[in-house]
Amino acid sequence: MSGPPPAARPAVALVTGCSSGIGRATAARLHRAGLRVVATARKPETLEEAARAGMDTLPLDVTDAASAEAAVEATTARHGGVDVLVNNAGYGLSGTVEETELERVREQFETNVLGLVRLTQLVLPGMRRRGGGRIVNVSSIFGRYAVPGGGLYAASKHAVEALSDALRLETAAFGVRVVAVAPGPVRTPWGQGFLDQLPTGRADSPYRGFHERAAEYYGAIYHRSRRSLAGAFAIEPERVAAVVERAVRARRPRARYPVGFLASSTLALRRLAPDGVFDHAFVRRQFPVPRPDDPR
Ligand code: NAP
């Protein structure tokens, strides 16, 4: 941690989205590392294991202003403030840009982007007052590139990357460090959520064939239903939690941490390759893409 907090108390880490996956693993990891962890989720019954392990737990829906304010207030009252915020809560909206209802796009941004901004705004005054703090934003490889059927999720994660960049510079003078953690595929319930939203049953969809291939492709990654490159390199949430801990402990954290081989390799390729090469040599080869000969 940079900056003075915590003087006489362990650093207090508030983690969003701890019902499963990366949030749950991160809360457990930071707890084992000796931080005072406040594990939060919108369904408090999912936090019983965290409470039994000795973590503090609070209900928190990041799309609900009152719920977010109450969680930060309760944390401050009980523990003196939030020194580390892990903005993890999020989900993956799937579907083509043409076919996805705007209401669902709004919900995606409400959770993945505005939820993160809301929590950040709530904890920053305290961090500035205490002269330090750390904010870890869980981004994604899709914060730096986008693939067909995942454009709206990628747009939300690109927003997370941009916010992390701006915040890092806005808050550095106050001793607050802001980090983006960008995993490739991680085996968590996220994958099923993404699969559930694919409009595979829509006989009238001009993207029907594409949706069917997408369902098979993501099923292979998240359910190991067949061998695939991305499936072979998918990682477990504990790997991400270990990187979050590294980002929290580092005296001088990096601006962003890719997590896993797929993330480091494809983000490096994205940085180096022109758009046309990236599309043809990578996206079209590795991801399902609508084809002219798809059934319509
Ligand atoms: P996950 O197991 O589905 O966890 C997502 C968490 O976010 C759950 O606790 C979920 O709570 C919570 N959440 C969703 N909406 C919320 C809201 N409005 N308020 C509070 N919590 C909310 O998936 P995960 O893979 O661990 O995802 C964690 C983060 O990693 C997400 O930001 C995701 O986009 C990102 N990520 C995931 C992958 C991947 O392949 N899995 C890769 C890169 C980045 P409920 O149980 O109540 O829904």
Side-chain angles (χ1 to χ4, degrees):
M1 291 271 309
S2 67
R9 57 175 170 81
V12 177
L14 188 150
V15 185
T16 66
C18 296
S19 68
S20 58
I22 296 167
R24 174 179 286 209
T26 297
R29 177 102 193 186
L30 296 181
H31 175 66
R32 284 198 303 276
L35 280 82
R36 188 75 183 101
V37 172
V38 182
T40 70
R42 51 184 173 177
K43 296 174 215 127
E45 66 277 14
T46 60
L47 298 170
E48 281 162 15
E49 196 185 307
R52 275 197 302 277
M55 289 174 241
D56 196 2
T57 61
L58 285 171
L60 170 52
D61 179 338
V62 300
T63 65
D64 178 338
S67 157
E69 280 160 27
V72 173
E73 270 168 29
T75 304
T76 306
R78 289 180 200 173
H79 307 294
V82 176
D83 304 309
V84 175
L85 170 65
V86 183
N87 279 313
N88 163 74
Y91 68 94
L93 175 60
S94 58
T96 58
V97 176
E98 178 182 350
E99 293 176 302
T100 308
E101 297 83 8
L102 279 182
E103 196 41 44
R104 297 179 55 222
V105 180
R106 252 179 226 115
E107 285 164 8
Q108 174 75 120
F109 277 77
E110 273 294 337
T111 303
N112 291 12
V113 183
L114 299 192
L116 173 150
V117 174
R118 171 173 289 125
L119 265 297
T120 302
Q121 289 179 345
L122 287 169
V123 302
L124 267 177
M127 288 183 176
R128 278 192 298 95
R129 258 196 314 277
R130 291 186 300 278
R134 198 151 294 192
I135 298 176
V136 180
N137 293 327
V138 180
S139 179
S140 162
I141 47 173
F142 296 126
R144 290 293 200 202
Y145 60 88
V147 299
L152 298 160
Y153 173 66
S156 78
K157 291 298 187 184
H158 276 63
V160 168
E161 292 278 328
L163 289 163
S164 303
D165 282 338
L167 269 170
R168 184 175 71 249
L169 295 164
E170 286 173 1
T171 61
F174 301 101
V176 177
R177 303 283 175 256
V178 180
V179 167
V181 167
V186 187
R187 285 208 181 82
T188 69
W190 185 99
Q192 189 57 48
F194 191 84
L195 279 161
D196 286 347
Q197 298 171 73
L198 282 170
T200 36
R202 275 181 60 173
D204 60 337
S205 168
Y207 300 93
R208 200 169 76 240
F210 161 67
H211 291 316
E212 277 153 21
R213 274 180 284 116
E216 207 181 298
Y217 175 83
Y218 291 103
I221 297 175
Y222 289 99
H223 299 310
R224 298 183 169 98
S225 54
R226 68 176 168 79
R227 288 165 71 89
S228 71
L229 181 69
F233 289 108
I235 59 176
E236 300 302 322
E238 287 71 21
R239 277 278 294 281
V240 187
V243 173
V244 174
E245 186 196 346
R246 187 139 54 87
V248 167
R249 282 176 179 275
R251 227 166 65 78
R252 288 203 198 141
R254 302 205 312 249
R256 46 184 46 81
Y257 292 76
V259 193
F261 171 74
L262 266 185
S264 346
S265 55
T266 66
L267 290 172
L269 181 67
R270 175 62 293 201
R271 270 198 313 279
L272 299 171
D275 293 341
V277 173
F278 192 77
D279 282 1
H280 288 280
F282 174 60
V283 179
R284 284 182 175 280
R285 279 167 194 250
Q286 294 300 335
F287 289 86
V289 173
R291 293 195 299 234
D293 58 346
D294 272 342
R296 299 211 157 80

